[in-house]
């Protein structure tokens, strides 16, 4: 079992930056692929970014490429999402997720554990 706790959300103006963190419990963090998803009000949860267990492979949804960076520190059991040049359409609850596979994936069903989410609001 893995428990995930997100932090770092908040209110920011368009063009600003935020860094989300996700702290994981358990000894097997370094063998799990990690991902970030987001869910806007009234919409389905969607993929944002993912990183393989080793950190070598990263995937992004097209709308955040060049603006967001996912990274992980296996020594600290933490995954990050650096978000730059934020836009109002980035407003959502952001969820951290862990998958038992080492290979990074963009598919929501491939993730087995989820955090409670952190709100990100970007004002225009």
């Amino acid at each position: 079992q893995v428990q995930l706790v997100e932090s770092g959300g908040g209110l920011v103006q368009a063009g600003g930056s935020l860094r989300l963190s996700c702290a994981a419990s358990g000894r097997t963090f370094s063998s799990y692929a990690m991902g970030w998803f987001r869910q806007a009000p009234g919409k389905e949860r969607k993929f944002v970014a993912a990183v393989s267990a080793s950190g070598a492979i990263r995937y992004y949804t097209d709308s955040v490429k060049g603006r967001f960076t996912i990274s992980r520190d296996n020594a600290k059991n933490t995954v990050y999402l650096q978000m730059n040049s934020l836009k109002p359409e980035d407003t959502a609850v952001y969820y951290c997720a862990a998958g038992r596979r080492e290979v990074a994936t963009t598919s929501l069903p491939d993730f087995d554990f989820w955090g409670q989410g952190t709100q990100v609001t970007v004002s225009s």
Side-chain angles (χ1 to χ4, degrees):
Q1 190 76 9
V2 175
Q3 292 186 330
L4 304 172
V5 179
E6 302 100 333
S7 61
L11 173 64
V12 64
Q13 289 187 333
S17 298
L18 284 173
R19 187 194 196 201
L20 304 184
S21 299
C22 173
S25 64
R27 302 176 182 177
T28 56
F29 175 80
S30 61
S31 65
Y32 284 32
M34 299 296 295
W36 287 96
F37 290 76
R38 64 187 179 187
Q39 187 167 17
K43 297 188 177 182
E44 63 183 12
R45 193 172 299 187
K46 294 185 177 180
F47 169 77
V48 175
V51 61
S52 62
S54 68
I57 306 298
R58 306 176 189 186
Y59 296 130
Y60 299 93
T61 191
D62 286 346
S63 62
V64 308
K65 286 180 181 177
R67 300 189 298 124
F68 290 12
T69 302
I70 188 170
S71 62
R72 64 189 297 158
D73 185 337
N74 286 344
K76 296 182 178 180
N77 280 16
T78 302
V79 63
Y80 305 96
L81 186 67
Q82 178 66 44
M83 305 186 295
N84 299 328
S85 302
L86 283 161
K87 305 176 181 180
E89 51 264 42
D90 294 319
T91 295
V93 177
Y94 283 69
Y95 296 91
C96 173
R100 290 190 178 95
R101 298 177 182 85
E102 294 187 358
V103 178
T105 174
T106 64
S107 177
L108 189 149
D110 288 340
F111 290 88
D112 303 288
F113 306 101
W114 293 85
Q116 294 298 310
T118 185
Q119 176 70 47
V120 172
T121 303
V122 184
S123 63
S124 57

